[in-house]
Structure formats: structure tokens, C-alpha cells
Amino acid sequence: MQDIFAAPQQFGPGFLESAPVLAYHSDQFVLPLPPGHSFPMSKYRLLREAAEATLPDVRVAQAVAASDGELALAHEPAWIDAVAGGTLSAAQQREIGFPWSERMVERSRRSVGATVCAARAALFGGEGVAANLAGGTHHAYAHKGSGYCVFNDVAVAARLMQAEWHRDRHGRSGPARLLRAIVIDLDVHQGNGTAAIFRDDPSVFTLSLHGAHNFPFRKEPSDIDVDLPDGCGDADYLGALDIALNAAWARHGDELPGLAFYLAGADPHEDDRLGRLKLSAAGLAERDRRVLAALRERGIAVALSMAGGYGRDIHTTVAVQRRTLQEALASWRAWPQRQALTAVKESGS
Ligand SMILES: [Zn+2]
């Protein structure tokens, strides 16, 4: 478990009292893209720089790379080998949308690693809330990549956290209880890869709100899917979100998840090139607040991934994602266990 922990000094004495929301990045691993390629690769670096400049309480750390064994928790070995070994066919590369390179492999491993680090900090580090400044690669299936997604960060992290949870809890007070997880996927595109990976796994609940007429055009059934019409605005979106979240909690009954993955896509924004919805920046901030509050009220630790964002002006996307981090920071500050820690510290004990 220690091998992919972030820098050990982060977890030294005093860590819990002083550490802010942890955000993990992998933006120095930039893909070489052909001229004219439309993927906004620089958004990851811009988001980290914006976070460092304007949210000093959000400490940013570099993610470690996910190993083949960790990837194999959610991916078929043949897919991992084809990516790692550079034997992807032209069709497979086209479906991903990126040409293969060594850097693509490294970046994909780091992006998964960043979600793993965030989930671990949120769940085992006692933070309650932590983030990956990239990730949310929800179009990746067990056996193939798609739509700019090579490996499915959330699927790997969910399975790895379940394994670590079992190992950590086993024998403490009888048999370990299964760690349930929920994926709240609010990227504007449906989380088809994630839904397919967990279709027959009741321990991971999948919820997706997405544009009905957007990619992927062949959607996979999640536990809850909400298809939104083109042009959907703040009020309709937030109303649908409330209904979907309440339905998710109702479906869980007394057995709430212990861990959530929140894909806080910026692509439902009205100025997104690909989104087709009409959410304002204020509407997206309210979306983030509602999700984070719902999780905090239930004591469900959450790892955020930034997921998609293709603003006509890249700075619009970065501003939306920076705001998501700001909301995450507010939720981290209000995290109940953290308040208890602060109270202990302030009382001098
Ligand atoms: Zn998207």
C-alpha cells in the first residue's frame, strides 16, 4: 500500500492539523499532440497554477504512477499490455483520440495514480475531501480506451480502495465490511466505461447526469442515468440533480457508501464547445456545493476528478474548475471529523 502513497513527509507529525485539501496533479506529463489537435492539454497546468496562485490552502502534490497490477483491477491485461507495449492498432488509437507515445502511457498511469492518491487521502488520511486536478477518464472500458480516455481512473481507484479497506479493517473487530462506493458523474458526457465496468458489481453505484444528444451515442446503463435535453439551464439541471441524488440515497437505504468519486466536469458550461448545455458558472458552483454538502452530511469521503472541459476560451474552463476546487476546500474545512480535530487542537489537548 505504501508504494503509491504520495511523498511520505505529507503524512508526518502534524499533518492532519495543518494539511489543506490535497490536490494531485500530473500536468508535467504532457502528450505530444499533432498540430491542430483540439484537446486542450494546457488546461491541467493552468488549473494547477491558478490553484497555487489563488487557493494557497490547497496544497498540490505530484501523483505517482499506477502500476500494471493496479490497473488490472479494472482493466483486461491484454489492454494494459497493448497500451504499455505500444502495440495499439490505428483504430484503437483513433478511438482514444490521441496518438500513442511513451508519454501517453506515463500520463495515463499518473492520471489514475492521482485519483488513487486523492481517494486514499480522503478515505484513509482522514481528509474527507481530496482532488485529482485531471482524471475522470470515464469513457475507458475494461478492454479499450475511448474519447480521450486510456485507463479508467475512478474504476481502478474504487477497486483498489476496496482492497485496501478490506486489508486495513480485517480483524479489527470481526470480519471487515465491504467498502461501498458511489460514482457521481456530472461530466456532460455519459460515463459509459464506468457504467460497463460496474454493471454487475453492486458494491459500486453509478450515477450519471449527461446530455442526451451528446457523445457517447451508445450509452451504457448506469444505476441511475439522467438524460438532459440540449440547452438545459441552471434551474432544470439543479432540480434533476436533487432528484437523482435523493434517489441514489434512497436506493442505498441504511447501507450508505463509504467513499464517493465525484466527476466535476466543466463541460456542462454554456460556453463549452462540446457540451450543448447552458449552465452558468454560478450554476456549476451551486452544483458542486450541493454534491459536496450531500456527501459531507452523510460522512462520505470524496475524491474529485476534474473530468472534461472544452471552453471556447480555455480560461473559462480553468475558472470553472478552480471554483470547483474552492468549493472542495470549503467542504474540506467543514468536514465533521476535521472540525473535531480542530476543536481538540484549539482546546490545547
Ligand atoms: Zn465530458
Side-chain angles (χ1 to χ4, degrees):
M1 166 166 165
Q2 283 80 0
D3 59 333
I4 89 169
F5 242 107
Q9 66 270 19
Q10 291 177 357
F11 294 88
F15 170 70
L16 285 177
E17 289 83 357
S18 62
V21 166
L22 297 177
Y24 293 89
H25 75 93
S26 51
D27 63 72
Q28 69 279 49
F29 302 95
V30 174
L31 290 192
L33 294 176
H37 195 287
S38 64
F39 190 82
M41 191 60 67
S42 60
K43 69 180 176 179
Y44 302 114
R45 175 181 53 80
L46 293 169
L47 175 60
R48 176 176 52 78
E49 290 172 354
E52 288 172 339
T54 65
L55 299 170
D57 286 347
V58 176
R59 193 168 51 184
V60 178
Q62 183 180 301
V64 293
S67 68
D68 287 0
E70 287 155 351
L71 294 171
L73 292 168
H75 290 287
E76 292 181 6
W79 175 245
I80 300 166
D81 289 349
V83 173
T87 58
L88 295 173
S89 69
Q92 287 173 315
Q93 294 180 61
R94 264 198 311 279
E95 188 164 5
I96 293 171
F98 297 138
W100 185 90
S101 62
E102 294 274 2
R103 282 180 158 258
M104 181 188 102
V105 181
E106 186 63 16
R107 176 175 176 275
S108 303
R109 289 185 188 277
R110 298 270 174 174
S111 186
V112 174
T115 296
V116 168
C117 288
R120 221 179 245 148
L123 183 65
F124 295 107
E127 300 300 319
V129 184
N132 175 1
L133 297 186
T137 44
H138 57 169
H139 301 311
Y141 285 70
H143 67 289
K144 67 171 188 173
S146 177
Y148 301 143
C149 304
V150 178
F151 299 126
N152 193 311
D153 60 324
V154 162
V156 172
R159 291 253 166 89
L160 187 54
M161 291 308 100
Q162 288 181 317
E164 292 183 0
W165 178 265
H166 194 86
R167 221 164 38 187
D168 185 61
R169 300 294 144 133
H170 183 74
R172 281 195 188 181
S173 55
R177 289 183 64 185
L178 181 68
L179 175 70
R180 294 179 186 279
I182 182 169
V183 182
I184 300 173
D185 188 338
L186 303 189
D187 186 280
V188 81
H189 304 100
Q190 200 234 3
N192 56 337
T194 315
I197 289 169
F198 293 118
R199 179 176 302 157
D200 299 318
D201 183 348
S203 71
V204 180
F205 191 94
T206 53
L207 184 166
S208 178
L209 260 76
H210 47 260
H213 303 116
N214 213 324
F215 179 91
F217 301 106
R218 201 178 137 247
K219 297 174 174 47
E220 304 281 352
S222 312
D223 289 298
I224 294 178
D225 282 300
V226 181
D227 292 315
L228 300 165
D230 288 358
C232 179
D234 291 346
D236 288 343
Y237 186 98
L238 293 170
L241 174 63
D242 287 344
I243 292 169
L245 286 175
N246 286 333
W249 307 136
R251 293 263 289 270
H252 280 85
D254 292 336
E255 290 199 86
L256 284 174
L259 176 64
F261 293 90
Y262 174 31
L263 283 74
D267 46 14
H269 188 264
E270 57 196 344
D271 288 331
D272 197 87
R273 283 186 285 122
L274 307 180
R276 305 171 74 107
L277 303 190
K278 292 259 181 269
L279 270 77
S280 67
L284 284 165
E286 177 62 20
R287 171 199 73 169
D288 295 338
R289 270 194 297 276
R290 290 189 190 189
V291 171
L292 292 164
L295 295 170
R296 192 174 66 245
E297 285 162 11
R298 289 165 179 80
I300 301 171
V302 55
L304 289 88
S305 294
M306 291 298 120
Y310 312 91
R312 290 184 182 87
D313 179 347
I314 194 171
H315 295 97
T316 307
T317 296
V318 172
V320 167
Q321 294 185 327
R322 194 208 69 88
R323 183 62 192 267
T324 294
L325 284 179
Q326 190 178 333
E327 296 300 334
L329 178 63
S331 196
W332 174 84
R333 287 200 176 109
W335 187 252
Q337 291 85 334
R338 172 156 303 291
Q339 285 183 330
L341 276 173
T342 306
V344 168
K345 198 180 166 199
E346 284 172 354
S347 71
S349 42

